[in-house]
Amino acid sequence: CIVYIVTLPMIAALLAAAMLMGLQPSASSPDSIVDRSSRNLSSVPRDLQKMAELLDLSCNHIQQLHRGDFQNTTLLRFLNVSWNSLEDINPETFLDTPLLEDLDLSHNRLRNLSGQRYLLHTENLLVLNLVCNNFLTMTLGSEFRSLVKLERLSLGAKNISTSDFLTINEVKLRILTLSLENQQGYRAGSLQDVHAQKLQIAFTSYQILNHYLVSDALSHFAVVELMDLTGGYKDLSKQLSERVEILTSHLYLTNISIDWKDFTDFASVVLHTSVTHVRVSDVALHKPPQKDTDVTQISQMKSFTASRVVVKYFFFSQEAVYNFFINMPVESLAIVETSMIHMTCPKLHSPILQLDFSNCALSDSIFSRVEGQESLECENLDNVRKLILFGNNFKRLQIVSKRVQFMKSLQHLDLSINSLVYDGLGECAWPPNITNITLSYNGLTASVFKCLPKGTETLDLQNNQVSVIPSSILKMENLTCLNLNANRLQDLPVCNGFPILNKLLLKSNSLNAPSVKKLESCPKLETMDVSKNPFTCTCALRSFIRLGIESGKKTGIELLSWPLDYYCTYPEAVRDIPLKDISIPEVSCNIGLLATTILCPALIVIIAVVTLCHHLDVPWYMGMIWQWTRAKHRARMRQIRPEDLLGVEFHAFVSYSQHDADWVQNSLLPNLEGGAGGLRICCHVNNFVPGKTIIENIIACVEKSRRSVFVLSAHFVKSEWCHYELYFASHQRLAWGTDSIVLVLLEPLPQYLIPSKYYQLKSMMGRHTYLEWPQDRAKHRLFWANLRAALQADLPNAPVTELE
């Protein structure tokens, strides 16, 4: 047998495969999976957990299994004893494991397939693996007859004869795997007693293809998979071409090594047979072509799939390879998980209905060709109805639309997991019949709605950068399902452009208080998902909470994942509390009711306070305090004399997050320094002294600056160094006064987003006016004028610094 290296990842994969087959352990039992592989064991351990359901004893030195070895593991469902030295198994070994469903005894030293009496107590087995033992013949004993539930059987022996499988002729297998070992002997007709949907044949290196075995496989099984082939393709092609009747409809070649000529000859032969589905995977392709290879245009084949193909030569014609595949006369063509950078256009009108080029390396030039300086689009794929292109290197959505514009039958298009963007300038040219388009996991913004097929019924835009749905978009009158999960929306969209929208998905966006009133524009909406958004539990959210509570009842709109994934994010007092448990009183949100409740008592209190203050002469005392405060303020301002500014070199020190560096370098500094502003600005990029620590540089820059400018953003409050700069600047306020700090708000920054350690920043934002960066370009000049005025001061001449 082939020698494999068993590693921990392989064991984990094996356990995962077992669970995927339906052998999931009990969720309430943490000890249900037991891994004792590669422990140098010579016998089954006696300390196995009683709750064990999956037990791995592979890669040890166990020679025998005895009765009672598993008496404590009565819940055992999966057992792997492969890669040991098993020679004998007691007939009553599995008497205590009535639930056993998967048993792997491969790669051991068992000798006789007709003497596996322990199987009499494994009537619930679904999977049995006995490959790579010392079986001379494939004759199955009568005990195999008891395995009435068996779905998958893997065997290997040196000789296969007629009647070897007679004892399982009534067992309806899903998969039979035959591992062909060295010196294989096979007698024609030996597989006639096997009833299985799929036959897998695993070859050893350089093994000769057995004519009779392949003949019986093609005659008795609907699905045949040949694995690990390195030769014999000419014999296989000849055998296929000479057969008149073939039962096999699905033919798979897995983990093969093949020359281009053998591959194309095999494909040409299969195209003329009754085999309808061919799949080749994990292919090492040798001697690729230098020129085109002819492809027959007559075929009964429905689909051809190639996955994980690797070309072992560097010098060949890629176009010749692509031409062979795209010109195949099949209904479905798939080339996946292959480093393919281009696909050509068929020479004639293609019968292909479905194309799948997922997880390749295709670019925007797909299907096109260049003649001179002109790019010619493909017009011969007009029968394609479904095109799958996810996981490639597409960049520009507008260009991709032109590449498929002549696919007039195209209905389903998948362009997810690419790098698509659209600037909203050029016009897109989609074919007219697209109803389902998937654009998830790209870099698309709101402008994408200008570049969508008008007849779209299902649109998937999840995991993009859409912040708003423009109200001016063209109507998509057929759209019924819109997926905008994991984008940047801050409110519910209106449905003016989607009159029959039925399903709206907005999970994981930035919705704080969704405006339920906007749903009035969505008369056909029945299902909506707004879970996992940062809800602000204030008055504005009352109508949305009511919508959730009445979900699917009075409103007619079902709110998916309600109430499990709907929590408050702000205020802090109710963070992580489910929305259904939040109560916001009507009186706190209704201004009229609130005024009625508060105004009368407040008026009485005000009259009482005024009367008391007048009686105690409080106004006089308050006037005195105010005059004293103003005097202290003027005195402090007068203390700032020119000599106090000695050592001050800069008008301002700018503190910002590295994420906002482009704005600072390209906008802030040019408008404050030089001829534009005439100010001297200190920033870490230009003025931090190499060799000093960052803290020393921050302190020095703050001390040498008259004021400190803080560029506030969501990134700023996440930066530790910005925190230090704010800390030291706040201490400087004691010397220079409150006007020594200027706050510039680059983007909206709600108080609840500011961490508690920035209490000084919260305080300053609450008491002082800050400058907000306007999005309107017309307001920029006034912004810069105000900022320069706030920073202007008479400073002593800065010392001349030697730069060379």
Side-chain angles (χ1 to χ4, degrees):
C1 288
I2 301 174
V3 177
Y4 298 94
I5 299 176
V6 179
T7 62
L8 287 177
M10 291 178 63
I11 295 170
L14 188 61
L15 295 175
M19 290 187 284
L20 287 173
M21 293 176 64
L23 306 181
Q24 288 93 348
S26 173
S28 61
S29 175
D31 298 326
S32 58
I33 300 178
V34 180
D35 182 7
R36 297 292 181 89
S37 61
S38 304
R39 303 292 179 88
N40 204 28
L41 300 175
S42 58
S43 61
V44 178
R46 297 296 180 184
D47 60 343
L48 297 175
Q49 291 91 328
K50 292 184 178 181
M51 301 300 295
E53 295 183 36
L54 282 78
L55 174 59
D56 190 352
L57 295 172
S58 61
C59 303
N60 284 294
H61 303 290
I62 301 174
Q63 294 185 352
Q64 293 182 328
L65 294 180
H66 307 90
R67 177 180 179 179
D69 279 350
F70 306 103
Q71 62 181 354
N72 292 329
T73 55
T74 57
L75 301 178
L76 197 63
R77 301 169 67 195
F78 172 90
L79 176 61
N80 183 7
V81 201
S82 62
W83 294 94
N84 277 273
S85 304
L86 273 179
E87 296 179 355
D88 181 59
I89 301 177
N90 187 282
E92 297 182 346
T93 295
F94 301 111
L95 192 63
D96 303 311
T97 57
L99 302 179
L100 190 62
E101 297 179 356
D102 191 315
L103 178 60
D104 190 347
L105 298 171
S106 61
H107 299 88
N108 280 290
R109 299 176 183 175
L110 300 176
R111 297 180 181 276
N112 192 351
L113 271 171
S114 61
Q116 309 299 312
R117 295 172 57 197
Y118 57 88
L119 294 176
L120 293 172
H121 301 291
T122 60
E123 60 273 7
N124 286 317
L125 269 187
L126 300 176
V127 180
L128 176 61
N129 189 351
L130 289 166
V131 301
C132 293
N133 279 279
N134 295 333
F135 300 134
L136 182 61
T137 65
M138 194 70 81
T139 306
L140 303 183
S142 59
E143 54 272 7
F144 281 85
R145 189 175 285 113
S146 65
L147 304 179
V148 293
K149 297 182 179 180
L150 197 63
E151 296 182 358
R152 181 164 186 168
L153 177 61
S154 301
L155 299 169
K158 293 185 178 180
N159 295 284
I160 304 177
S161 303
T162 54
S163 303
D164 278 353
F165 300 98
L166 187 61
T167 56
I168 61 169
N169 64 344
E170 295 184 2
V171 178
K172 305 299 182 182
L173 294 173
R174 188 164 55 88
I175 301 176
L176 172 64
T177 302
L178 298 179
S179 178
L180 301 189
E181 302 173 9
N182 294 329
Q183 300 177 355
Q184 175 72 36
Y186 179 83
R187 182 168 295 181
S190 297
L191 295 176
Q192 62 184 357
D193 295 319
V194 177
H195 295 89
Q197 299 176 15
K198 180 178 181 179
L199 174 65
Q200 290 181 326
I201 305 176
F203 295 88
T204 56
S205 300
Y206 306 106
Q207 191 167 27
I208 299 176
L209 203 67
N210 189 293
H211 176 85
Y212 298 108
L213 175 58
V214 174
S215 178
D216 284 354
L218 297 174
S219 301
H220 293 92
F221 300 93
V223 183
V224 174
E225 182 175 5
L226 307 179
M227 301 184 293
D228 307 322
L229 273 175
T230 56
Y233 298 106
K234 292 181 180 178
D235 294 336
L236 178 60
S237 298
K238 181 179 179 182
Q239 194 166 351
L240 285 167
S241 63
E242 293 175 349
R243 293 190 63 83
V244 177
E245 295 184 3
I246 297 177
L247 178 64
T248 300
S249 59
H250 293 68
L251 180 58
Y252 304 150
L253 301 181
T254 304
N255 193 29
I256 64 171
S257 179
I258 189 171
D259 291 344
W260 175 258
K261 187 177 187 309
D262 290 338
F263 175 78
T264 53
D265 289 346
F266 166 77
S268 299
V269 169
V270 177
L271 285 169
H272 286 93
T273 67
S274 60
V275 176
T276 55
H277 302 277
V278 172
R279 185 186 70 199
V280 294
S281 56
D282 300 293
V283 181
L285 193 60
H286 299 272
K287 300 179 181 178
Q290 298 294 336
K291 59 181 181 179
D292 283 351
T293 305
D294 293 334
V295 187
T296 180
Q297 294 302 309
I298 301 175
S299 170
Q300 300 181 47
M301 188 185 298
K302 300 293 184 183
S303 71
F304 179 88
T305 302
S307 61
R308 297 182 295 279
V309 180
V310 178
V311 179
K312 293 297 184 179
Y313 281 67
F314 293 103
F315 302 103
F316 65 98
S317 171
Q318 294 188 35
E319 185 175 351
V321 174
Y322 302 147
N323 283 339
F324 180 83
F325 288 110
I326 199 63
N327 285 290
M328 294 182 74
V330 294
E331 293 182 359
S332 176
L333 174 65
I335 304 176
V336 299
E337 299 180 57
T338 300
S339 298
M340 178 175 63
I341 62 174
H342 184 63
M343 179 50 65
T344 56
C345 180
K347 297 179 180 179
L348 303 173
H349 283 282
S350 173
I352 295 177
L353 302 179
Q354 176 172 320
L355 281 173
D356 184 355
F357 298 133
S358 56
N359 291 315
C360 293
L362 295 169
S363 66
D364 293 347
S365 64
I366 187 172
F367 302 134
S368 66
R369 71 181 190 275
V370 177
E371 290 188 3
Q373 296 183 348
E374 186 179 2
S375 178
L376 301 180
E377 308 299 342
C378 181
E379 301 184 20
N380 292 334
L381 288 170
D382 50 356
N383 287 317
V384 173
R385 299 175 185 172
K386 187 172 185 178
L387 178 59
I388 303 174
L389 298 172
F390 76 80
N392 283 279
N393 292 326
F394 295 108
K395 305 291 185 183
R396 292 180 292 175
L397 186 62
Q398 178 191 3
I399 299 300
V400 175
S401 72
K402 293 182 179 180
R403 297 292 178 255
V404 300
Q405 63 180 309
F406 295 110
M407 296 183 183
K408 61 183 181 181
S409 301
L410 187 62
Q411 298 176 0
H412 302 272
L413 176 61
D414 189 345
L415 287 165
S416 55
I417 318 179
N418 280 280
S419 302
L420 288 169
V421 295
Y422 176 64
D423 56 14
L425 300 179
E427 186 175 351
C428 297
W430 298 106
N433 294 317
I434 294 180
T435 58
N436 188 320
I437 183 167
T438 302
L439 296 168
S440 58
Y441 294 90
N442 282 285
L444 298 166
T445 60
S447 60
V448 69
F449 287 95
K450 298 179 181 179
C451 181
L452 291 174
K454 296 180 181 179
T456 303
E457 297 177 5
T458 302
L459 174 60
D460 188 347
L461 280 169
Q462 65 176 318
N463 280 92
N464 278 280
Q465 300 179 30
V466 179
S467 58
V468 65
I469 296 180
S471 57
S472 60
I473 62 173
L474 296 176
K475 279 194 175 183
M476 301 177 69
E477 297 183 351
N478 298 326
L479 188 67
T480 59
C481 179
L482 176 58
N483 188 344
L484 285 167
N485 289 339
N487 277 274
R488 300 180 178 181
L489 290 170
Q490 297 181 359
D491 201 354
L492 296 176
V494 293
C495 300
N496 295 336
F498 324 120
I500 64 170
L501 187 67
N502 177 267
K503 188 174 185 179
L504 178 61
L505 305 178
L506 301 171
K507 179 179 179 181
S508 300
N509 275 270
S510 301
L511 280 74
N512 295 321
S515 303
V516 177
K517 190 173 181 62
K518 292 186 177 181
L519 297 180
E520 295 177 359
S521 65
C522 309
K524 302 293 184 180
L525 188 64
E526 296 179 0
T527 306
M528 184 168 66
D529 188 353
V530 200
S531 60
K532 296 186 177 179
N533 275 277
F535 296 108
T536 300
C537 292
T538 56
C539 290
L541 199 67
R542 290 183 74 249
S543 57
F544 180 78
I545 295 176
R546 189 182 306 113
L547 175 68
I549 295 174
E550 299 175 354
S551 173
K553 300 175 184 177
K554 299 180 181 179
T555 62
I557 299 176
E558 179 186 2
L559 209 57
L560 299 181
S561 302
W562 176 272
L564 297 178
D565 294 329
Y566 293 79
Y567 293 89
C568 290
T569 301
Y570 181 83
E572 288 289 339
V574 293
R575 179 184 286 271
D576 296 332
I577 295 180
L579 296 191
K580 69 179 182 64
D581 297 332
I582 295 295
S583 177
I584 304 176
E586 177 73 20
V587 66
S588 64
C589 301
N590 189 316
I591 297 177
L593 183 59
L594 184 62
T596 303
T597 306
I598 297 177
L599 189 57
C600 292
L603 185 60
I604 296 173
V605 171
I606 291 172
I607 294 173
V609 169
V610 170
T611 303
L612 183 63
C613 289
H614 181 75
H615 179 72
L616 298 176
D617 212 5
V618 172
W620 185 85
Y621 287 104
M622 294 296 297
M624 292 300 100
I625 293 174
W626 172 244
Q627 293 297 330
W628 179 84
T629 303
R630 292 186 61 189
K632 294 293 289 183
H633 175 72
R634 288 193 297 269
R636 185 171 64 250
M637 293 302 296
R638 284 196 299 269
Q639 290 174 2
I640 303 177
R641 300 184 299 271
E643 55 266 33
D644 292 335
L645 295 175
L646 293 177
V648 176
E649 302 176 12
F650 302 95
H651 288 89
F653 166 64
V654 179
S655 173
Y656 60 95
S657 167
Q658 193 60 35
H659 291 275
D660 304 321
D662 289 343
W663 184 84
V664 172
Q665 295 295 330
N666 299 328
S667 297
L668 181 69
L669 295 182
N671 280 280
L672 297 183
E673 294 180 330
L679 301 178
R680 297 198 293 269
I681 304 300
C682 177
C683 62
H684 73 273
V685 175
N686 301 325
N687 301 101
F688 273 21
V689 179
K692 289 187 178 181
T693 66
I694 296 179
I695 297 295
E696 290 175 336
N697 275 306
I698 292 174
I699 294 173
C701 285
V702 169
E703 290 178 347
K704 290 189 291 185
S705 302
R706 174 64 182 85
R707 292 179 176 86
S708 295
V709 177
F710 292 90
V711 181
L712 304 182
S713 67
H715 299 295
F716 180 94
V717 297
K718 296 178 182 178
S719 171
E720 286 296 327
W721 294 117
C722 291
H723 181 211
Y724 286 124
E725 292 168 353
L726 182 64
Y727 175 79
F728 291 119
S730 65
H731 280 271
Q732 190 192 35
R733 290 172 64 236
L734 299 176
W736 295 113
T738 56
D739 67 335
S740 66
I741 292 180
V742 178
L743 303 180
V744 174
L745 197 60
L746 194 57
E747 60 184 18
L749 190 62
Q751 289 276 329
Y752 67 88
L753 290 182
I754 304 177
S756 58
K757 66 181 181 180
Y758 279 88
Y759 65 91
Q760 294 169 326
L761 176 59
K762 287 185 176 182
S763 176
M764 284 187 282
M765 291 184 68
R767 293 199 305 266
H768 301 289
T769 302
Y770 44 82
L771 295 176
E772 293 187 45
W773 171 247
Q775 298 300 319
D776 188 354
R777 185 179 295 273
K779 300 178 181 178
H780 286 184
R781 292 182 62 185
L782 181 58
F783 170 86
W784 294 122
N786 286 337
L787 183 56
R788 286 193 291 265
L791 300 179
Q792 190 65 50
D794 295 326
L795 300 183
N797 294 330
V800 179
T801 303
E802 292 295 330
L803 299 179
E804 299 181 357

